[in-house]
Amino acid sequence: GSFVAGPDSAARNVDAAEDHILIIRLSALGWTQFMHKNCSLLVDCSAPLEQINSALAAKFDEAANNGGDAETLRDRLDAILLRHLAAKTWHRDLPLVSRISGLIAHPDLNRIDDMCDLLDIDHARLARICRRAFGFSPKFLMRRQRLQSMVAELDRRAYAEWRQFLDPRYVDQSHFIRDFRDFYGMAPTHYLAHRNGTGDDYALAA
């Protein structure tokens, strides 16, 4: 059957499974358009797709039961999603969700007030849309994006050079380390030891 996994509030260790699993990653735009459920209700958990979008679940199950390899199934699911998009009215919040996605990633945006001003909406509406489409509050999303930007730099550069690429939205290194521990459950040096030594991978879903 088809299942929907909600966003993660913290990083988790990802192990390869022996079974064949086809994963379709949804952006906040995809969730808004395809999922008939508030994303915040599925944070750190999963549910059968049938409970969230029964029509889509029926088509996915039919595609999976028709046989074929993973590439064939992927093409079938792509076709289903494209047909679904063509036949469905666009969700009214899509333009705002698109703009919010861009603003969350903007390196010079630090305040929720500024985001509300740019979107011309109040705090309550921004919070409601963020929880519906992203699963979290605007403040959490900005904090997570700030950390993800730093992790991307860590993956490319030596940790000893942190002063050269510390995101200006962090007050100092200890501020960054506190955030890192909150999301990853370990210090940055421990994370890098895993990435560079054991091959373990830690995923922080967007």
Side-chain angles (χ1 to χ4, degrees):
S2 302
F3 281 80
V4 177
D8 297 323
S9 61
R12 57 185 174 83
N13 198 7
V14 178
D15 296 318
E18 293 183 3
D19 294 334
H20 295 291
I21 300 175
L22 184 61
I23 298 174
I24 300 174
R25 292 181 62 89
L26 287 179
S27 65
L29 288 169
W31 187 280
T32 301
Q33 186 66 15
F34 290 115
M35 300 294 110
H36 303 159
K37 195 177 186 71
N38 191 312
C39 189
S40 65
L41 299 177
L42 280 176
V43 170
D44 295 326
C45 63
S46 62
L49 178 57
E50 185 178 34
Q51 295 179 8
I52 300 171
N53 188 328
S54 58
L56 196 59
K59 293 174 182 177
F60 273 24
D61 289 345
E62 181 182 2
N65 292 332
N66 283 339
D69 57 18
E71 186 173 347
T72 301
L73 177 57
R74 181 200 64 196
D75 292 342
R76 287 176 186 157
L77 298 182
D78 277 345
I80 290 170
L81 292 173
L82 288 172
R83 287 196 298 270
H84 190 78
L85 283 174
K88 187 175 173 65
T89 303
W90 296 110
H91 194 283
R92 66 182 182 279
D93 286 339
L94 280 180
L96 270 176
V97 172
S98 178
R99 292 186 65 195
I100 291 169
S101 295
L103 291 174
I104 287 170
H106 198 291
D108 297 327
L109 191 68
N110 299 317
R111 301 172 64 249
I112 304 301
D113 286 345
D114 294 337
M115 186 182 293
C116 288
D117 289 343
L118 290 168
L119 296 169
D120 194 25
I121 60 176
D122 59 26
H123 282 241
R125 188 177 180 197
L126 176 62
R128 185 167 59 251
I129 292 174
C130 283
R131 292 187 182 281
R132 167 70 174 78
F134 298 86
F136 303 103
S137 70
K139 183 177 180 180
F140 180 96
L141 293 169
M142 293 175 72
R143 183 179 173 221
R144 184 179 64 180
Q145 179 61 40
R146 177 180 64 194
L147 179 63
Q148 287 177 325
S149 297
M150 280 295 297
V151 171
E153 288 296 324
L154 278 178
D155 287 339
R156 291 193 294 266
R157 304 172 66 172
Y159 182 60
E161 301 173 0
W162 69 267
R163 290 180 181 84
Q164 300 174 27
F165 60 84
L166 183 68
D167 191 300
R169 291 170 291 182
Y170 285 110
V171 176
D172 51 28
Q173 186 189 21
S174 62
H175 183 196
F176 162 60
I177 292 175
R178 284 196 302 273
D179 259 12
F180 199 100
R181 286 185 181 277
D182 285 347
F183 282 100
Y184 284 84
M186 65 182 75
T189 49
H190 189 191
Y191 164 85
L192 290 173
H194 276 275
R195 290 293 295 254
N196 300 331
T198 67
D200 290 345
D201 194 11
Y202 289 83
L204 184 61

